[in-house]
Amino acid sequence: DDAFYTPDLRTIIANSEEGQTVIAIDIASHTVHWVAGEPNRIGVGPRHFNTPDDGVPAPDGTIYVADIRNCRIVHLSASGQYLGSMGNGACYHDPPNSFGSPNGAFPTSNGNLVVTEIHGSWVDLLSHTGSLIWASQAPVSYPSDALAYPDGTVLLTDYTSSGKVIRMTS
């Protein structure tokens, strides 16, 4: 579904929403370094996903994954080990306690995290400690893949058939 380079440009992190996995592929050898999640097995807990989206590497090499149907953000180590998660599994907007079907968790250069939530069209900025800095409803139907700019604005897409790209403030 999605693929991102790690900060050192040596590995690609990819996810399969239908396959319930996140994988790391070595660019030089074309081999799989690791797989997080059990292939084709939906579940909860540290070893399972339910529709993982956007395995995005942070500047420190760890990876954030939006686990859409488990309504959580999963944090993985650079070697694919489960480090923890945010969200209690309840699918409503109350970050960082719960998320309304998050479909992206994009790290910023300063260690914060921009999260998009499908339900309610929310865009959230969480601090590096996981606390909420701000949350705002985006003027789109399906906010996706939000990137923070140094000036505090956020660029995101509306993942709909007509689609659009917007830049918004908090």
Side-chain angles (χ1 to χ4, degrees), residues 54-106:
D54 296 334
V56 184
D60 66 1
T62 64
I63 297 124
Y64 287 91
V65 182
D67 190 6
I68 296 175
R69 293 196 176 124
N70 282 328
C71 296
R72 65 181 179 166
I73 305 299
V74 175
H75 192 197
L76 301 174
S77 72
S79 60
Q81 299 301 309
Y82 179 84
L83 296 175
S85 63
M86 289 183 280
N88 58 17
C91 296
Y92 60 88
H93 172 77
D94 183 25
N97 303 311
S98 63
F99 298 94
S101 297
N103 72 324
F106 283 74

Side-chain angles (χ1 to χ4, degrees), residues 143-170:
S144 184
D145 300 351
L147 299 173
Y149 278 82
D151 67 0
T153 61
V154 174
L155 180 76
L156 63 102
T157 60
D158 186 6
Y159 186 67
T160 57
S161 61
S162 60
K164 61 180 151 179
V165 177
I166 68 162
R167 194 166 177 178
M168 64 179 275
T169 65
S170 60

